[in-house]
Amino acid sequence: MTFVTKLSFASGDRDVLAETVQELKDTLERKGAECKGPHASSPETVSVPQYKRLRAGDEFSPWRYDVYKRSMEIHGADDIARDVVARDFPDSIHVEVEVDRKKPLGHRRD
C-alpha cells in the first residue's frame, strides 16, 4: 500500500512562499522522493472590515490583502514525508497536511 502526502501552503508573502516551496521541492528531489508540484492557485483577495470603535457603525476603509497558495504531493517515501511534515516553516506560511492511502491497481476489496 502506498501513501500520498498532500501538502497545501498559504501565505500573504508571495516571495517567502515561493522560496520555501522551491527549497522543499529541491530537498525532496535530492533525497529521491517522487514529488508532484508545486501547483499554484490564483491568489485570493481577502477584505477585513476595520471599525473606528468597538461597535459596528463608524468604519475605516477595509484592509485588503492577497493570499497566495501552493500545493504539492509526495508519493511513497513515507520516512521523507514524515521529515518534511515535522519541519519548521516560517510563521507567515500556513501549512495543511493530508495523507491518503492508495491501493495498487487490481487490489481486491474485502
Side-chain angles (χ1 to χ4, degrees), residues 2 10 15-16 26 30 42 48 50 58 83-85 87 93 106:
T2 303
D15 295 333
V16 171
D26 294 343
R30 194 171 47 251
S42 298
V48 180
Q50 299 184 85
D58 222 6
D83 290 343
V84 166
V85 171
R87 177 184 274 202
I93 298 178

Side-chain angles (χ1 to χ4, degrees), residues 29-97:
E29 288 176 347
R30 194 171 47 251
K31 291 186 175 189
E34 183 183 345
C35 174
K36 293 188 180 181
H39 306 289
S41 300
S42 298
E44 178 184 337
T45 301
V46 178
S47 179
V48 180
Q50 299 184 85
Y51 299 104
K52 292 183 178 182
R53 294 189 171 71
L54 292 177
R55 55 186 156 73
D58 222 6
E59 295 182 19
F60 293 110
S61 58
W63 176 42
R64 297 182 196 284
Y65 63 96
D66 291 328
V67 176
Y68 303 94
K69 297 180 180 183
R70 303 286 185 274
S71 63
M72 56 192 325
E73 294 180 355
I74 304 170
H75 293 259
D78 303 339
D79 53 336
I80 297 171
R82 204 174 298 117
D83 290 343
V84 166
V85 171
R87 177 184 274 202
D88 285 330
F89 291 98
D91 290 338
S92 63
I93 298 178
H94 175 76
V95 182
E96 291 183 10
V97 179

